[in-house]
Amino acid sequence: MKKYIYGNWKMNKDINETIAYANEFNNLIKSVASNVCVGIAIPYINLAKACETFNLANITILAENVSEHESGAYTSQISIPMIKSLGVNQTLIGHSEVRQYLNESDELLNKKIHACLNNNVVPVICIGETLQQFENGATEQVVIKQLDACLANIKQEQCANIIIAYEPVWAIGTGKTATSEIIKKVHLIIRNHLIKLFGQSAMGIPLLYGGSVTVATASDILRIENVNGLLIGGASLKPDVFNQIIKIASC
């Protein structure tokens, strides 16, 4: 399976900063190894310029979220047809900050995932537990509940078009990274549960790890069983740092 190195800019960078980043990225990365997929989730306002400026032969541009509605009286929301009109065919769904600050439930996320799959957009589905849940030993219960709710009524043949990102909330932006043992354990739980849902087809679903990933930790994390890539926050904001992680994945 390919390795996925995806960045998430969150609410960072204006248009000029996006252009500058893209130009530097294009100069740094003339080609990407055939076994690596590179992507960055970018704020809505910068998507059009990103698609114009980045060399799309080397990188996939993702949205950071999307509405479950295709059109209508939903002021401030962005639809799947809108992002597709720019050439964007992947989006994050259910990032912990979206769950927390926008109060998006698993049931709503399920609607968004169905809308993505029905419109040939790949959802990168984010799951993970809070610090309190982790300390209470509820990690397995939480991730399985999130998977069951988010993937409700998804057909087996559709699972080839989804990506799962495990991001322990307590390790996002905190500088804390889950130990290799924790990552291995949780990714195995996720893989086994996906197999229960979809059979052996689930072996083809990429599982990404996210949570304060750095150049120093990337190599070790990528060697863990059932880790097929990384979802990177802060370390994706600088092209040279992001490029170092891409090079690590290419080895």
Side-chain angles (χ1 to χ4, degrees):
M1 186 185 297
K2 290 186 176 182
K3 297 175 184 175
Y4 292 75
I5 305 301
Y6 279 7
N8 177 17
W9 282 2
K10 307 188 181 188
M11 196 176 72
N12 291 292
K13 299 192 182 299
D14 60 21
I15 292 292
N16 291 330
E17 290 169 326
T18 298
I19 294 169
Y21 186 111
N23 289 334
E24 184 175 349
F25 181 92
N26 292 340
N27 288 330
L28 283 170
I29 301 177
K30 301 301 182 182
S31 64
V32 174
S34 60
N35 67 322
V36 176
C37 294
V38 177
I40 302 178
I42 289 176
Y44 289 134
I45 196 170
N46 297 332
L47 284 175
K49 185 57 67 175
C51 289
E52 293 174 6
T53 314
F54 278 95
N55 180 353
L56 299 183
N58 294 331
I59 190 167
T60 296
I61 302 300
L62 296 84
E64 294 185 352
N65 197 3
V66 76
S67 173
E68 73 275 23
H69 303 291
E70 290 197 9
S71 63
Y74 303 102
T75 300
S76 85
Q77 298 194 45
I78 304 295
S79 71
I80 292 172
M82 288 175 178
I83 66 167
K84 288 192 70 176
S85 71
L86 300 176
V88 176
N89 295 303
Q90 294 192 31
T91 181
L92 301 184
I93 295 290
H95 190 278
S96 64
E97 291 156 0
V98 171
R99 293 174 185 261
Q100 178 181 357
Y101 300 125
L102 301 183
N103 297 313
E104 294 199 358
S105 66
D106 287 329
E107 291 70 27
L108 173 58
L109 300 179
N110 177 250
K111 292 178 182 179
K112 293 188 176 193
I113 292 164
H114 277 279
C116 285
L117 295 174
N118 291 337
N119 288 278
N120 298 313
V121 168
V122 174
V124 180
I125 305 164
C126 303
I127 62 173
E129 79 282 21
T130 65
L131 178 60
Q132 183 177 2
Q133 290 166 335
F134 172 71
E135 291 178 341
N136 289 340
T139 296
E140 180 172 0
Q141 177 184 351
V142 170
V143 298
I144 287 177
K145 179 179 180 291
Q146 290 174 341
L147 287 171
D148 283 340
C150 289
L151 299 176
N153 300 313
I154 301 297
K155 299 175 182 177
Q156 181 176 346
E157 59 267 26
Q158 293 177 302
C159 75
N161 296 314
I162 65 175
I163 296 171
I164 304 292
Y166 168 59
E167 290 194 303
V169 180
W170 50 271
I172 298 174
T174 63
K176 298 179 180 178
T177 302
T179 64
S180 296
E181 291 76 14
I182 292 171
I183 298 171
K184 180 178 180 179
K185 178 182 178 181
V186 179
H187 276 243
L188 180 59
I189 289 169
I190 295 168
R191 180 71 72 196
N192 285 341
H193 195 68
L194 291 172
I195 291 171
K196 288 182 181 179
L197 295 176
F198 301 117
Q200 289 302 307
S201 299
M203 291 300 295
I205 298 175
L207 303 184
L208 315 187
Y209 173 77
S212 298
V213 176
T214 66
V215 173
T217 61
S219 180
D220 288 341
I221 295 172
L222 285 169
R223 284 198 292 265
I224 299 171
E225 186 177 2
N226 287 309
V227 173
N228 309 116
L230 304 169
L231 181 56
I232 303 161
S236 71
L237 293 174
K238 295 182 178 180
D240 57 335
V241 176
F242 194 44
N243 181 43
Q244 291 181 59
I245 297 177
I246 294 168
K247 286 182 176 180
I248 289 169
S250 303
C251 296

